[in-house]
Amino acid sequence: MSSTSHIRRRGLSAFATAAALSTLSWAVSVTGSMLLTGAGPAAAQATAQPFPNKPLQIIAPFSAGGDADLAARALANVLPRYLNGQQVLVVNRTGASGAIGSEMVAKATPDGYTLLLARVGSQAVLPALAPKLGYRWNDYTFLGLLELNPYVCMVRADSPHRTFDDLVNAVRKNPKKLTYSTAGFGTIHEMGPQMMFDVFKLGKDAAIQVPFKGGGDAAIAILSGQVDFGCGNLGPANPQIQAGKLRALMVTLPERYKDIPDVPTAREIGAEAMERIVGWSALFGPPNMSKEQVAFWSKVMAQVAKDPDWIRATEKIGSVPQIRSPADTATFVREQFETYERIGKTFGIVLNP
């Protein structure tokens, strides 16, 4: 069994069992109420329709073709199998680093028909670093983590920095000399280097940030030699890594990733704290969704976790399938928020999206 399969399947059986029991409890409760009131099946059918009975929408708060959009569409393509055949539409509500779409869902009716494709940037980084944001990290109903995006630090293939230790030592010996590319201030591309500076006691301004318009541009800047190094999600850089034009020095997953098996993990190089710097997608709902709705979506997510088409699509975009329960998702997101909140306070990072 591969390491990524082990990550994906760990705890899935217990998760599915808990979801099934919760849904069963809901069904028993409804049946008991029908008996007590004298309402039979026909009366119940006349007064209520099974959920869902109309199309649903998943709000992707970033533009088409990006990590959030691809994850949303991979999920939307298989969900009708578990939703009475109802269509699931992906709606891109972009702007303000994901804040516009995120705030829309935070204020939506909690009926289960409008959901959010949550991302690390819009659901952890922004709430931690933008005090004027119109929502908080926990202004949602957590339905489940979907995937992890391997996060790597990398250099050009001909760089003199052959290992992560080489890079750390070069930054230490040449303070404020080396440069690194990001997709903008406050993005996850910046958080990795900032965490590196913190873990290895290199100082706040150990290297110079050069911001670009997106993750793809940030990777191209490394490739072209405009900067010395950079960190970001593996997906946009993986073709160049596989072609031998970029060299990954470290990945923040707990275990080595199958596409780059020779690249050590953060834990292996003595920087376990950097494991918290990782891309991810999750499914959130508006606040105050009912326990019955959460149980319903828990059951659906447990089915999606075993869907071969969803697994294949998720791995194709360079992600690790990682569906978790609502409770585990809430814990994970809280830890993510606290990580970026601490980085923001340590390095004085304040955002105004």
Side-chain angles (χ1 to χ4, degrees), residues 19-289:
L21 288 174
S22 183
T23 304
L24 177 60
S25 175
W26 177 29
V28 171
S29 175
V30 171
T31 304
S33 298
M34 290 166 54
L35 292 173
L36 287 172
T37 59
Q45 186 174 8
T47 58
Q49 297 181 17
F51 175 87
N53 53 47
K54 62 180 181 180
L56 299 83
Q57 61 177 350
I58 295 177
I59 304 300
F62 295 94
S63 59
D67 291 331
D69 179 72
L70 294 174
R73 295 184 189 281
L75 180 63
N77 286 340
V78 302
L79 276 179
R81 302 171 186 175
Y82 315 109
L83 300 175
N84 304 323
Q86 289 293 343
Q87 186 179 12
V88 179
L89 306 175
V90 175
V91 179
N92 299 94
R93 291 294 176 90
T94 64
S97 301
I100 291 177
S102 298
E103 189 167 353
M104 173 188 169
V105 176
K107 296 179 178 179
T109 302
D111 57 7
Y113 286 96
T114 298
L115 305 175
L116 175 69
L117 196 288
R119 289 290 298 176
V120 57
S122 47
Q123 272 54 69
V125 177
L126 278 185
L129 304 180
K132 296 182 180 180
L133 196 66
Y135 59 90
R136 297 172 298 175
W137 73 271
N138 55 352
D139 279 345
Y140 298 94
T141 300
F142 301 106
L143 300 178
L145 190 70
L146 289 170
E147 60 177 23
L148 298 178
N149 310 129
Y151 184 90
V152 297
C153 290
M154 54 201 151
V155 296
R156 202 162 80 163
D158 60 359
S159 168
H161 315 307
R162 305 296 301 178
T163 66
F164 194 77
D165 282 344
D166 289 344
L167 177 61
V168 170
N169 290 331
V171 173
R172 179 175 284 115
K173 293 177 181 179
N174 302 279
K176 301 183 182 181
K177 297 293 184 182
L178 273 68
T179 56
Y180 64 98
S181 60
T182 73
F185 293 101
T187 62
I188 193 172
H189 301 79
E190 180 188 7
M191 297 299 106
Q194 294 288 6
M195 178 68 89
M196 179 181 78
F197 303 158
D198 185 39
V199 169
F200 292 97
K201 311 300 181 186
L202 300 175
K204 175 182 176 181
D205 299 315
I208 300 171
Q209 177 181 179
V210 182
F212 291 85
K213 291 183 178 180
D217 291 337
I220 291 173
I222 306 170
L223 183 64
S224 64
Q226 291 177 260
V227 297
D228 295 298
F229 71 100
C231 301
N233 291 337
L234 174 64
N238 198 32
Q240 302 299 336
I241 292 174
Q242 298 302 323
K245 297 180 180 180
L246 289 176
R247 182 168 64 252
L249 304 179
M250 176 273 293
V251 62
T252 62
L253 291 176
E255 299 170 352
R256 293 197 180 198
Y257 186 56
K258 61 180 181 62
D259 283 5
I260 46 174
D262 296 330
V263 177
T265 66
R267 188 171 304 189
E268 289 179 275
I269 62 171
E272 186 174 345
M274 290 192 69
E275 286 184 358
R276 289 192 175 188
I277 308 296
V278 63
W280 51 266
S281 299
L283 189 65
F284 289 4
N288 302 315
M289 287 178 64

Side-chain angles (χ1 to χ4, degrees), residues 118-120 123-125 127-128 136-140 142 145 276 280 282 284 324-343:
R119 289 290 298 176
V120 57
Q123 272 54 69
V125 177
R136 297 172 298 175
W137 73 271
N138 55 352
D139 279 345
Y140 298 94
F142 301 106
L145 190 70
R276 289 192 175 188
W280 51 266
F284 289 4
R324 299 184 188 179
S325 71
D328 288 345
T329 299
T331 299
F332 174 81
V333 177
R334 175 179 54 77
E335 291 174 348
Q336 288 281 288
F337 167 78
E338 291 173 349
T339 293
Y340 297 114
E341 184 180 46
R342 185 176 66 81
I343 291 175

